[in-house]
Amino acid sequence: WNSISPRLGVVFKLNEAGTTTMKAHYGRYYRGVVTSEYDNVSPSITPRFLFDGTYVNGAPNPASLELVSDNTNLTVDPDFRNPYTDQYIFGFEHELITNLGIQVNYVHKRGEHYGGWNEINGTYVPFSYVDSVGAEASGQTITLQRLTTPSDERLFFLTNPDEMFSRYNALAFQAQKRMSDRWQLTGSIVFSKSEGRIGSSTGSPTAAQTGTAGTFGQNPNDFVNTDGRLIGDRPVVAKLQFLWDAPGGVTSGLNYMHQDGHPWGRQIQVGGLGFPARPAILMERLTG
């Protein structure tokens, strides 16, 4: 890829002494090539089968093996685009007294062109599923897609689905007492919301958040209720750091951090959708 990443930053002094300033920044940041996103397309990848445990003469029964995927049913869009994020920051800084200042920053990020899979020749029919499993079941009807194509005839295409995106908004407050009189104190609190649909949006809350495709989109039901809060969303993050320049040239430090978030959503394994294994479907969007 040949990518142009413009960035611009400005600082305005609001008083002659420069103790009060306004700051603004815009930048475009490209992700670049992540080779793991294309690993499964390599001809060196071993085919994957669903096996029911039946053996013949000590070997797996060929009739019991159902092909799930191999490199022959995976291809990459030759026009696959480089994912990027546009970032905007607006800030205010003020020195209250000597060695003590405050900051307020607003951050907005917009991510586009994330990778995901589309199916080229699969055929599906709508399937109505009633959310009735578990004590928290809503009773609502969710429209899913049931596969009618044999699994070994499916062909997947790694591209940039329009449904993949990310949005981040944050308001950050910070106060800092600079190192003086042998001690320093910094405190901050960030209120934020991170949402969208990326490759890790079908993962569990213990999974890592990632913008690479993984297998996202190889099941069209991956797009059901996955456009809410991301699994790495932390609505509130508070930090406190204290440093003390102790006698004898020893610096001691104390750090405290508090985080809220890590959204949890109900997942149900729905049968009767025509896939070799039951897919896990999110029953509601992670909002709030």
Side-chain angles (χ1 to χ4, degrees), residues 52 76 82-83 107 115 140 155 197 199 202 211 225-226 239 251 281:
D52 66 3
V76 179
N82 192 0
V107 181
Q140 295 181 345
L155 181 62
R197 180 188 284 118
T202 55
N225 290 332
T226 52
K239 297 180 180 181
T251 300
I281 308 297

Side-chain angles (χ1 to χ4, degrees), residues 77-236:
D77 184 352
D79 296 320
F80 188 81
R81 292 171 289 178
N82 192 0
Y84 69 87
T85 296
D86 284 330
Q87 177 177 264
Y88 305 84
I89 301 177
F90 301 94
F92 170 82
E93 296 186 13
H94 177 64
E95 184 183 70
L96 295 173
I97 58 176
T98 301
N99 295 324
L100 178 62
I102 59 172
Q103 297 182 29
V104 180
N105 292 292
Y106 168 72
V107 181
H108 173 69
K109 297 182 181 182
R110 301 175 64 87
E112 305 288 351
H113 295 175
Y114 291 103
W117 296 88
N118 284 338
E119 191 165 351
I120 296 177
N121 62 340
T123 57
Y124 296 83
V125 295
F127 179 90
S128 296
Y129 175 79
V130 179
D131 180 18
S132 58
V133 177
E136 298 181 356
S138 66
Q140 295 181 345
T141 300
I142 301 174
T143 300
L144 305 176
Q145 298 297 318
R146 182 168 64 85
L147 176 67
T148 59
T149 303
S151 60
D152 59 354
E153 296 180 8
R154 304 168 75 196
L155 181 62
F156 303 106
F157 191 59
L158 179 63
T159 185
N160 307 96
D162 293 337
E163 299 92 340
M164 310 294 281
F165 70 99
S166 68
R167 299 289 184 267
Y168 177 79
N169 288 280
L171 188 61
F173 301 88
Q174 178 175 302
Q176 182 180 50
K177 189 270 181 187
R178 297 173 182 169
M179 177 63 77
S180 62
D181 299 324
R182 307 181 70 92
W183 66 280
Q184 175 181 307
L185 182 66
T186 303
S188 67
I189 185 167
V190 180
F191 302 96
S192 66
K193 186 176 185 179
S194 180
E195 56 189 340
R197 180 188 284 118
I198 58 178
S200 58
S201 290
T202 55
S204 70
T206 58
Q209 180 173 308
T210 174
T212 54
T215 61
F216 192 98
Q218 292 185 11
N219 183 334
N221 296 301
D222 290 344
F223 293 94
V224 176
N225 290 332
T226 52
D227 58 338
R229 287 184 178 268
L230 300 177
I231 59 176
D233 179 55
R234 300 294 181 272
V236 180

Side-chain angles (χ1 to χ4, degrees), residues 30-48:
Y30 283 93
R31 189 189 70 187
V33 176
V34 179
T35 56
S36 62
E37 197 156 36
Y38 315 101
D39 283 351
N40 288 336
V41 183
S42 169
S44 64
I45 296 297
T46 302
R48 290 189 289 257

